[in-house]
Amino acid sequence: ISLLPAFTLGQASPIQYNDLIDLFPAPNYADTAIDYIGNLIEQVLTYYGSLYFPYPYSRLGASTVSNEAGVALGPMANIMLPTDLWYLDPSFNQDVILLIDGVIAHELGHQYFYNWVKLNEFSQAWLSEAFAEYSSLRYIIKTHQKMDNVRSNYWTYMTQVPSGTDAPIASDEISESELYFYVVYLRGAHFIYQVSRRLLEFDQNLSNLVESYQEQFIYSSDMIDFFNTLPPRSEYDNFDSNRFSE
């Protein structure tokens, strides 16, 4: 966290939300945003602690990046949020709240997928981005009791990616494609979500797998091997690794 001022905006001294979370908000932040973001981070980490295992680092910072960056980020023990989020009014409509919750849950997912479980090849990015997005989908489903983000991701992919496109989620080709976001983030997360519904004991076994990968690199072949170890829920739910193209 000590290196972040070179890359981020916001105040240099944190607001200590609780014993775990430090907030580095944008100037003239809204008090409502501090309360909402701090509480949301706490809720997401609690949920991920039950879905995977307890948050593995001693603290977590939430800092600020310029809106012009066009992204939020999730480096180790930190998430970087666009300036506008620090002026948040929780009375926004439900669609905006779902979007904000989804973004923050995605970046917190990177504490497990990319920071804890390591990657060293861009072609394997689905193991970071798709799993972070999958984690976000699971959080929204659990806390909002809604499938909106699952449906939104699916239909965004279907409307943005031409029919018949041959775009495997793990490949050198997709890492350089203009379809990267739609395929790796959206299709990848939907793929994992569908697998999780079709294989028995998915959550507990994924939790064990992720926890065992501390400071280790993971590859698509490792994840496919993992999928293949889990029994299907029914005779119609077998995971066919031949359909997963690298």
Side-chain angles (χ1 to χ4, degrees), residues 160-182:
Q160 296 299 319
V161 178
S163 177
T165 299
D166 181 15
I169 60 177
S171 68
D172 291 327
E173 290 76 15
I174 197 58
S175 65
E176 300 173 358
S177 170
E178 61 184 11
L179 300 176
Y180 175 81
F181 170 78
Y182 304 108

Side-chain angles (χ1 to χ4, degrees), residues 50-116:
S50 64
L51 184 62
Y52 303 124
F53 57 92
Y55 176 69
Y57 306 112
S58 60
R59 299 199 65 77
L60 183 127
S63 51
T64 307
V65 292
S66 168
N67 290 327
E68 286 70 28
V71 294
L73 299 167
M76 183 180 289
N78 194 74
I79 59 173
M80 301 180 184
L81 305 176
T83 303
D84 280 351
L85 288 190
W86 297 103
Y87 308 127
L88 172 67
D89 179 353
S91 66
F92 282 163
N93 66 53
Q94 186 65 20
D95 289 341
V96 174
I97 290 298
L98 281 173
L99 175 63
I100 293 168
D101 286 10
V103 168
I104 291 178
H106 176 103
E107 300 310 333
L108 289 171
H110 282 307
Q111 301 307 316
Y112 295 87
F113 299 99
Y114 186 76
N115 292 311
W116 180 269

Side-chain angles (χ1 to χ4, degrees), residues 177-226:
S177 170
E178 61 184 11
L179 300 176
Y180 175 81
F181 170 78
Y182 304 108
V183 173
V184 174
Y185 285 65
L186 305 189
R187 179 180 164 193
H190 196 76
F191 165 75
I192 299 164
Y193 179 68
Q194 293 302 323
V195 169
S196 75
R197 297 179 65 190
R198 286 166 169 74
L199 300 180
L200 288 170
E201 302 174 356
F202 182 88
D203 287 353
Q204 183 58 55
N205 282 283
L206 180 61
S207 170
N208 294 340
L209 176 76
V210 173
E211 189 168 13
S212 73
Y213 261 86
Q214 180 184 11
E215 302 298 329
Q216 295 184 58
F217 294 110
I218 194 169
Y219 299 90
S220 294
S221 58
D222 300 323
M223 192 60 70
I224 293 170
D225 289 344
F226 163 69

